Amino acid sequence: MGLTDTVGYPENPKPQSPWARRMMKAHDNAIENLVVFAALVLVAQDLGVSNQATFIACMAYFWARVVHLLAYAFKVPWVRTIAFTVGFVAQLTLAWQLLCVMRVHA
């Protein structure tokens, strides 16, 4: 778009490049998934659930989202899908750890 259009309010802005549109879609997806991930992490923190599985799940989630962003921006479809799946499995792992703790306390 250029610096002038980016910082100003152009009447007819130039369209964004395809990679920028893909990066914005990846960002939207990351925000949507962050809501679930953050809720799981905050509940785990509140309940004192911290172990090797939660640590690995959080690290895997972070790096999966980084890879997802890059794969989305550079049009790498299988890598993008695998990265999304790894992030989803990391969320499932956190949820499972919470369920295990809640079951023990019940």
Side-chain angles (χ1 to χ4, degrees):
M1 292 175 55
L3 183 59
T4 305
D5 285 354
T6 301
V7 298
Y9 300 97
E11 294 276 330
N12 298 312
K14 298 172 193 162
Q16 289 184 321
S17 61
W19 70 267
R21 287 193 304 269
R22 288 190 304 272
M23 193 170 274
M24 293 202 46
K25 288 181 182 179
H27 176 263
D28 291 343
N29 183 271
I31 296 299
E32 292 166 0
N33 281 279
L34 181 62
V35 171
V36 175
F37 177 73
L40 290 168
V41 169
L42 290 173
V43 170
Q45 177 67 25
D46 188 51
L47 295 177
V49 178
S50 179
N51 56 36
Q52 190 73 14
T54 59
F55 175 77
I56 291 171
C58 290
M59 291 294 292
Y61 181 84
F62 172 80
W63 288 112
R65 296 313 304 186
V66 170
V67 170
H68 182 265
L69 171 72
L70 295 173
Y72 211 140
F74 294 110
K75 293 174 67 172
V76 187
W78 284 102
V79 173
R80 182 189 82 180
T81 303
I82 292 168
F84 179 85
T85 304
V86 169
F88 183 72
V89 169
Q91 290 177 342
L92 289 176
T93 301
L94 288 171
W96 180 255
Q97 293 299 310
L98 291 173
L99 289 173
C100 288
V101 167
M102 292 170 69
R103 185 181 62 184
V104 169
H105 292 340

